[in-house]
Amino acid sequence: MSGCLCVQWTVTPLTAPEPILICPGCGRARPFRSSGKFRLNANGKQLDAWLIYKCTSCAATWNRPLFERRAVRTLDPATLQALHSNDPRHAETLAFDVHQLRRHAPKVREAADVQVHKQVLRQESSAWSRLDILFAVPVPTSVRMDRLLARELQMSRTKVLELAGAKIRRQLRRPVRDGLRVTIARKALVRSDQA
Ligand SMILES: [Zn+2]
């Protein structure tokens, strides 16, 4: 057996992360969801922008800062247009940006459910000996690599950590990132199937 089966796994979260905030309406911590609408405030040649979130239990809202006092000329026209027209796609992209969200909401509930689209990039031989997985993560997600591999390869997390080797073990405990690569021997996959 020789060569690799090189595949790309494109990982996308199914639902946007939800900030957990003390809701002024409910008087307790509640998850908030993006309304898909922006709020803008122009001050001369400067612009403030927020994405409006709504409490999941009442009508209270929270404005998530996107930028403050930004010179309008430094914004690209497409972004500006998207903000002015409440472009749903732009709002969704921002709603899924958990890193930016965390800057304003220390507590965030991230959905663990992701969609994995698998695509064969190259098969060097039908008797390939290693599976080479390249991760494409266009939208950041909190799903850990080991959990994802365990789920998709139908094996335990302990087994995944064992197979992937000590070098990347630490990386596997972190959220999956764009461009990461994991190689697993076919032998190991077969053994694990039989186990
Ligand atoms: Zn509320």
Side-chain angles (χ1 to χ4, degrees):
M1 292 203 292
S2 61
C4 82
L5 172 63
C6 305
V7 293
Q8 176 169 288
W9 287 9
T10 305
V11 183
T12 40
L14 290 170
T15 45
E18 295 171 350
I20 310 289
L21 306 161
I22 302 294
C23 172
C26 300
R28 50 175 291 188
R30 292 281 193 209
F32 279 62
R33 255 175 232 152
S34 165
S35 69
K37 303 271 183 278
F38 298 106
R39 191 183 148 202
L40 300 173
N41 177 40
N43 192 344
K45 287 176 182 171
Q46 294 184 325
L47 194 68
D48 302 319
W50 300 267
L51 178 61
I52 304 169
Y53 279 69
K54 279 186 183 155
C55 170
T56 51
S57 301
C58 76
T61 59
W62 171 63
N63 293 338
R64 167 184 164 189
L66 299 176
F67 53 80
E68 280 177 295
R69 291 174 194 187
R70 179 90 180 258
V72 175
R73 60 178 168 76
T74 66
L75 286 163
D76 78 279
T79 304
L80 207 53
Q81 171 62 24
L83 292 171
H84 278 295
S85 63
N86 288 313
D87 178 64
R89 196 176 289 180
H90 190 63
E92 195 182 78
T93 305
L94 290 166
F96 275 94
D97 184 347
V98 72
H99 301 304
Q100 206 272 354
L101 174 62
R102 277 188 192 285
R103 279 186 227 154
H104 304 284
K107 209 171 160 201
V108 172
R109 185 165 77 183
E110 286 182 74
D113 214 11
V114 290
Q115 198 170 32
V116 182
H117 175 73
K118 293 170 185 152
Q119 189 189 359
V120 173
L121 297 177
R122 198 168 75 247
Q123 184 173 348
E124 288 170 353
S125 150
S126 60
W128 53 272
S129 60
R130 18 176 246 286
L131 176 66
D132 196 5
I133 307 166
L134 171 68
F135 287 93
V137 187
V139 173
T141 156
S142 69
V143 173
R144 279 166 45 159
M145 287 269 283
D146 57 348
R147 287 181 201 274
L148 187 68
L149 284 163
R151 189 183 84 178
E152 297 299 317
L153 299 173
Q154 294 180 347
M155 56 173 74
S156 71
R157 266 192 290 150
T158 317
K159 188 81 192 166
V160 166
L161 290 169
E162 195 184 300
L163 293 181
K167 264 201 288 187
I168 64 161
R169 200 161 291 171
R170 260 178 67 187
Q171 220 166 36
L172 287 183
R173 292 203 171 98
R174 294 190 186 140
V176 60
R177 289 276 172 269
D178 194 47
L180 278 182
R181 206 179 272 276
V182 173
T183 300
I184 295 174
R186 186 179 194 171
K187 268 193 300 194
L189 291 171
V190 173
R191 259 211 309 270
S192 137
D193 284 350
Q194 288 168 345

